[in-house]
Amino acid sequence: MSKEILVTGSSRGIGKEIALYLANNGYDIVLHCRNNIEKAQEVQKQIEAAGQKARILQFDVKDRKKSFEALENDIKQNGVYFGVVLNAGIARDNVFPIMTETEWDDVIDTNLGSFYNVLKPVIMPMIEERVKGRIVTLSSISGLRGNRGQVNYSASKAGIIGATKALSLELAKRGITVNCVAPGVIESDMTKDLPVDEVKKLIPMRRMGTCKEVASLVNYLMSDDASYITGQVISVNGGLYS
Ligand code: NDP
């Protein structure tokens, strides 16, 4: 039986590519989205065409009650996950002096709130079933370095790093690894409005990264080869602020 991995925010962008990459490496996938169910269904078809199983959960990771309900029901019906990729996230950029309450709350509640809302219902069953599982979170270069116009996003992504490191210490003796991937600037909907030529000048490799370049690292962290790596933050950034 294939190991099963939940990838939050896998209807598009980095999450979609992670789901496809993992499926092509023999994992079954629990896809997840908030709004774009049609896009998630397309990803599901691609995974099934690759010979793996996929089902879709739809809930807002900001909503604790809905997240708990959806995940607890899914685990009750289908069993414990081997791995979770905490990928769903948003940016709502603005300079801090004029940042609105909504811009602050939405980003913190989505990016950092999801650490609790998604991982809390998933971890205890993993422990009870003695699964030597894998948790991979998505931070960002903004969480490592801070970024102008992204006080909210940087705070949420720095929070993810702290939470990842702390959880890795709690779960290490159970053989569950918890690591964080911190991408630089990756081609996706989130970055489609950036001034590409200006951004490229800042990146030592002079190009943006691809979703696949992030996905391959997540796939490695899920593998047996990565069983002694935990509590780490690994950047995929073309040399940006390395
Ligand atoms: P996209 O905007 O392309 O995709 C975001 C995904 O997250 C979608 O699947 C979306 O679902 C889902 N999502 C967003 N908000 C919620 C929510 N409240 N509840 C449930 N699902 C939600 O983003 P990327 O692929 O670019 O980013 C993926 C992750 O990587 C994020 O955590 C981001 O912060 C991080 N990252 C991205 C970088 C980049 O350069 N792109 C750089 C560094 C980090 P739906 O389709 O239904 O809206």
Side-chain angles (χ1 to χ4, degrees), residues 9 11-12 14 34-36 60-61 87 153 157 184 186 188:
S11 49
R12 352 182 228 120
I14 294 172
R34 174 188 40 175
N35 299 320
N36 276 307
D60 184 336
V61 294
N87 165 81
Y153 185 78
K157 292 298 187 180
I186 308 295
S188 77

Side-chain angles (χ1 to χ4, degrees), residues 8-16 18 32-37 39-40 58-63 67 86-92 106 109-111 114 137-142 153 156-157 181-192 194 208-209 211 214 236:
T8 66
S10 38
S11 49
R12 352 182 228 120
I14 294 172
K16 170 184 171 177
I18 290 171
H32 162 263
C33 65
R34 174 188 40 175
N35 299 320
N36 276 307
I37 189 79
K39 289 200 172 165
Q58 185 174 15
F59 59 88
D60 184 336
V61 294
K62 283 203 303 299
D63 187 328
S67 301
L86 196 73
N87 165 81
I90 57 166
R92 296 285 181 269
D106 278 357
D109 294 350
T110 303
N111 298 358
S114 61
T137 59
L138 268 287
S139 180
S140 163
I141 200 95
S142 303
Y153 185 78
S156 71
K157 292 298 187 180
V181 173
V185 189
I186 308 295
E187 289 166 6
S188 77
D189 289 346
M190 191 178 273
T191 52
K192 68 180 186 319
L194 290 179
M208 290 163 73
C211 294
V214 179
V236 183

Side-chain angles (χ1 to χ4, degrees), residues 90-96 99-109 111-112 142-143 147-159:
I90 57 166
R92 296 285 181 269
D93 297 354
N94 204 350
V95 287
F96 191 68
M99 181 171 284
T100 66
E101 281 181 41
T102 310
E103 285 163 345
W104 174 265
D105 290 343
D106 278 357
V107 169
I108 299 292
D109 294 350
N111 298 358
L112 187 55
S142 303
N147 194 22
R148 181 186 307 195
Q150 291 197 314
V151 171
N152 51 356
Y153 185 78
S154 301
S156 71
K157 292 298 187 180

Side-chain angles (χ1 to χ4, degrees), residues 3-236:
K3 291 171 174 168
E4 193 170 70
I5 298 175
L6 166 70
V7 185
T8 66
S10 38
S11 49
R12 352 182 228 120
I14 294 172
K16 170 184 171 177
E17 208 56 44
I18 290 171
L20 293 172
Y21 204 106
L22 291 171
N24 284 324
N25 281 276
Y27 297 96
D28 289 335
I29 305 296
V30 182
L31 294 163
H32 162 263
C33 65
R34 174 188 40 175
N35 299 320
N36 276 307
I37 189 79
E38 292 84 9
K39 289 200 172 165
Q41 284 163 344
E42 285 167 26
V43 184
Q44 182 181 31
K45 280 190 198 134
Q46 283 178 266
I47 291 173
E48 286 168 353
Q52 295 302 133
K53 290 187 195 139
R55 62 178 178 279
I56 303 171
L57 302 181
Q58 185 174 15
F59 59 88
D60 184 336
V61 294
K62 283 203 303 299
D63 187 328
R64 181 163 303 150
K65 193 164 170 282
K66 293 254 166 63
S67 301
F68 276 36
E69 264 170 25
L71 291 164
E72 283 167 1
N73 285 339
D74 190 57
I75 291 170
K76 211 173 282 168
Q77 280 173 28
N78 299 293
V80 180
Y81 309 136
F82 166 74
V84 181
V85 186
L86 196 73
N87 165 81
I90 57 166
R92 296 285 181 269
D93 297 354
N94 204 350
V95 287
F96 191 68
I98 56 167
M99 181 171 284
T100 66
E101 281 181 41
T102 310
E103 285 163 345
W104 174 265
D105 290 343
D106 278 357
V107 169
I108 299 292
D109 294 350
T110 303
N111 298 358
L112 187 55
S114 61
F115 191 96
Y116 188 84
N117 298 347
V118 172
L119 294 183
K120 175 71 173 42
V122 161
I123 298 283
M124 190 55 95
M126 217 181 233
I127 292 172
E128 282 166 355
E129 299 275 324
R130 298 182 191 281
V131 176
K132 293 192 186 315
R134 298 277 193 272
I135 311 290
V136 178
T137 59
L138 268 287
S139 180
S140 163
I141 200 95
S142 303
L144 285 164
R145 297 278 306 214
N147 194 22
R148 181 186 307 195
Q150 291 197 314
V151 171
N152 51 356
Y153 185 78
S154 301
S156 71
K157 292 298 187 180
I160 284 288
I161 291 173
T164 301
K165 288 184 177 223
L167 187 62
S168 76
L169 297 174
E170 292 188 11
L171 298 181
K173 64 175 180 294
R174 303 184 187 277
I176 301 171
T177 69
V178 191
N179 290 292
C180 180
V181 173
V185 189
I186 308 295
E187 289 166 6
S188 77
D189 289 346
M190 191 178 273
T191 52
K192 68 180 186 319
D193 297 327
L194 290 179
V196 176
D197 290 336
E198 292 306 306
V199 169
K200 282 182 185 167
K201 282 184 203 153
L202 301 173
I203 304 171
M205 283 194 179
R206 295 288 182 266
R207 67 172 177 88
M208 290 163 73
T210 64
C211 294
K212 201 170 179 181
E213 287 169 324
V214 179
S216 67
L217 174 59
V218 175
N219 181 61
Y220 171 69
L221 290 170
M222 288 290 167
S223 72
D224 287 345
D225 287 348
S227 50
Y228 203 54
I229 299 174
T230 197
Q232 300 306 302
V233 183
I234 307 175
S235 232
V236 183

